[in-house]
């Protein structure tokens, strides 16, 4: 009978394999879209056998759902790390808006965007992805409210916070085609001033 000591290295290898597959899937989704992110293609890119990949993710939908959760965990960890550096006092609102904008850039966002696009035309995938994405949206909104010290009982505040996240997502989409950092910074600064006015009432 296998001992706990013997099981641990095998479990650790399994976790490492799963992590490699997820990172490979994010990269393939971000660079080549959902069409090229089959379980087999992801396994090959990760240097993992197809059988091992299918042990972790029997179907493409299982893989994509796991990628969404992986992105959520990754974005959450990064958000928590960045929150510690958000200044108090003047400039805080702009820093929070910039934090939101940054959340919608990089490979994680590109991969998530490809999953959204795939789910839009795949009812089975959509049914599985939408609840996870809704959870992501709620968590981002909650974090923004907390960081901004926003009182959502006041008229217009909840909508302004949500508009901030929608703006951040839109800037992330624009960034897919052209990386115009100077323009984004101007928009962030302008929006932060408008948001401050709403929050101050």
């Amino acid at each position: 009978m296998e001992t706990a000591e013997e099981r641990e290295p095998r479990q650790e290898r399994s976790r490492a394999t799963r992590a490699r597959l997820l990172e490979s899937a994010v990269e393939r989704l971000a660079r080549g879209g959902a069409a090229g992110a089959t379980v087999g293609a992801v396994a090959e890119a990760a240097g993992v056998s197809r059988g091992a990949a299918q042990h972790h993710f029997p179907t493409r939908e299982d893989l994509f759902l796991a990628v969404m959760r992986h992105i959520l965990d990754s974005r959450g960890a990064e958000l928590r790390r960045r929150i510690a550096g958000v200044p108090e006092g003047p400039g805080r609102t702009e820093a929070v808006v910039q934090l939101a904008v940054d959340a919608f850039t990089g490979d994680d966002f590109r991969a998530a965007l490809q999953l959204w696009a795939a789910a839009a035309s795949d009812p089975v995938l959509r049914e599985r992805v939408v609840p996870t994405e809704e959870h992501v949206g709620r968590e981002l909104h909650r974090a923004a409210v907390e960081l901004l010290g926003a009182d959502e009982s006041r008229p217009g505040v909840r909508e302004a916070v949500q508009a901030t996240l929608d703006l951040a997502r839109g800037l992330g989409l624009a960034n897919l085609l052209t990386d115009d950092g100077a323009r984004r910074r101007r928009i962030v600064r302008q929006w932060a001033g408008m948001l401050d006015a709403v929050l101050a009432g």
Side-chain angles (χ1 to χ4, degrees):
M1 184 174 180
E2 190 178 43
T3 66
E5 289 78 10
E6 290 169 331
R7 278 196 304 273
E8 183 57 32
R10 185 163 50 84
Q11 291 170 345
E12 186 57 41
R13 284 195 303 273
S14 179
R15 284 191 290 269
T17 297
R18 181 182 174 86
R20 283 206 314 277
L21 287 165
L22 289 171
E23 289 298 330
S24 175
V26 167
E27 184 175 348
R28 286 194 71 86
L29 282 162
R31 303 296 175 216
T38 63
V39 175
V42 167
E44 183 179 353
V48 173
S49 73
R50 186 183 181 91
Q54 288 181 321
H55 169 74
H56 289 281
F57 310 112
T59 68
R60 179 173 174 261
E61 288 76 20
D62 292 324
L63 173 64
F64 284 179
L65 187 62
V67 168
M68 285 295 292
R69 290 174 176 154
H70 174 71
I71 290 172
L72 172 60
D73 290 344
S74 174
R75 285 164 72 182
E78 175 66 10
L79 184 63
R80 287 189 293 274
R81 186 186 69 77
R82 294 278 306 276
I83 282 172
V86 174
E88 297 291 343
R92 182 175 178 85
T93 300
E94 185 174 337
V96 172
V97 174
Q98 185 63 59
L99 186 65
V101 169
D102 291 345
F104 291 99
T105 58
D107 279 357
D108 280 354
F109 176 66
R110 287 174 180 268
L113 182 62
Q114 295 297 334
L115 290 176
W116 297 337
S121 58
D122 182 336
V124 174
L125 182 59
R126 181 168 61 247
E127 185 178 344
R128 300 187 70 183
V129 165
V130 165
T132 301
E133 181 54 33
E134 287 175 344
H135 175 70
V136 172
R138 286 192 300 271
E139 287 300 301
L140 283 173
H141 188 97
R142 182 196 57 75
V145 167
E146 185 177 322
L147 285 168
L148 291 166
D151 179 1
E152 290 195 301
S153 68
R154 291 176 41 222
V157 170
R158 179 175 180 77
E159 291 77 10
V161 172
Q162 189 56 52
T164 300
L165 298 175
D166 291 343
L167 171 69
R169 185 179 287 109
L171 289 173
L173 286 169
N175 189 56
L176 293 174
L177 299 177
T178 57
D179 184 4
D180 190 349
R183 174 178 168 273
R184 279 200 311 278
R185 284 191 294 275
R186 289 195 302 272
I187 291 172
V188 165
R189 190 172 302 115
Q190 180 68 23
W191 180 256
M194 295 165 67
L195 183 57
D196 267 332
V198 173
L199 295 175

